[in-house]
Amino acid sequence: MSITILYGTESGNAEMAADECAETLPDAVAVDLMDLEPADLDLGDTFLIVCSTYGDGELPASAQPFVDRLVDQKPDLSEMRYAIFGLGDSGYAESYGLGGTRLAEQLDALGAQRFGDFGRHDAAGSDDLVETVLAWAESTVAAATSAA
Ligand SMILES: Cc1cc2nc3c(=O)[nH]c(=O)nc-3n(C[C@H](O)[C@H](O)[C@H](O)COP(=O)(O)O)c2cc1C
């Protein structure tokens, strides 16, 4: 099973989390959504997506162009299977974690199939980001592997 870890970040936390996952999981690579054309997605891969929230519940800078391309191009993503992990800060009570939610909504609208738990990291809490994302990634991939 080839794993592609897509990340959307503004200040680097989601990139660091994605890179740690890529180093830990077998046969995995991390890709910045900023650099990704929808047509370049290999829909046979298993996708893990790590995405933060900025502004007031907006997508981070590196994810926004990809979502704009999805809206413009409307690719058929019905073969895509993905799990998602959102970064946020619960101090933003009204918009906590909405970046990941917005990205998932765009993928789902194009037919993509989400699996596993919606992972989360709260920058206002005491949980370590890397430990939290690795635990989520390993259990998500294990569940996907046993279901395959
Ligand atoms: C200017 C600014 C705006 C933010 N807005 C939100 C927000 O609306 N909702 C939220 O849950 N987190 C928000 N956050 C928290 C970030 O999502 C969190 O710090 C995350 O770890 C950043 O990840 P990144 O470095 O990958 O972008 C904001 C952070 C900053 C600095």
Side-chain angles (χ1 to χ4, degrees):
M1 181 168 76
S2 293
I3 300 169
T4 297
I5 304 158
L6 304 175
Y7 63 87
T9 187
E10 183 125 352
S11 55
N13 290 340
E15 178 176 10
M16 178 189 65
D19 285 345
E20 291 284 346
C21 291
E23 282 179 21
T24 303
L25 298 171
D27 205 9
V29 293
V31 175
D32 190 345
L33 284 168
M34 177 71 97
D35 303 327
L36 190 65
E37 282 292 331
D40 293 336
L41 289 168
D42 182 344
L43 298 180
D45 287 356
T46 296
F47 291 92
L48 302 185
I49 302 177
V50 182
C51 183
S52 71
T53 304
Y54 254 73
D56 188 11
E58 302 301 323
L59 290 159
S62 93
Q64 186 64 59
F66 178 74
V67 169
D68 291 344
R69 292 192 277 269
L70 290 180
V71 170
D72 286 349
Q73 299 171 21
K74 299 183 178 51
D76 175 5
L77 299 182
S78 54
E79 300 297 313
M80 181 181 191
R81 295 190 73 239
Y82 77 97
I84 189 160
F85 182 99
L87 282 70
D89 183 328
S90 60
Y92 296 86
E94 302 288 317
S95 61
Y96 176 50
L98 280 184
T101 304
R102 288 182 194 279
L103 178 53
E105 285 173 354
Q106 289 296 334
L107 295 170
D108 293 351
L110 295 165
Q113 301 158 54
R114 186 162 67 81
F115 69 94
D117 292 334
F118 201 124
R120 297 212 179 271
H121 180 262
D122 181 2
S126 56
D127 290 343
D128 180 75
L129 170 58
V130 170
E131 283 177 17
T132 304
V133 76
L134 286 179
W136 168 83
E138 287 173 334
S139 66
T140 298
V141 168
T145 306
S146 65

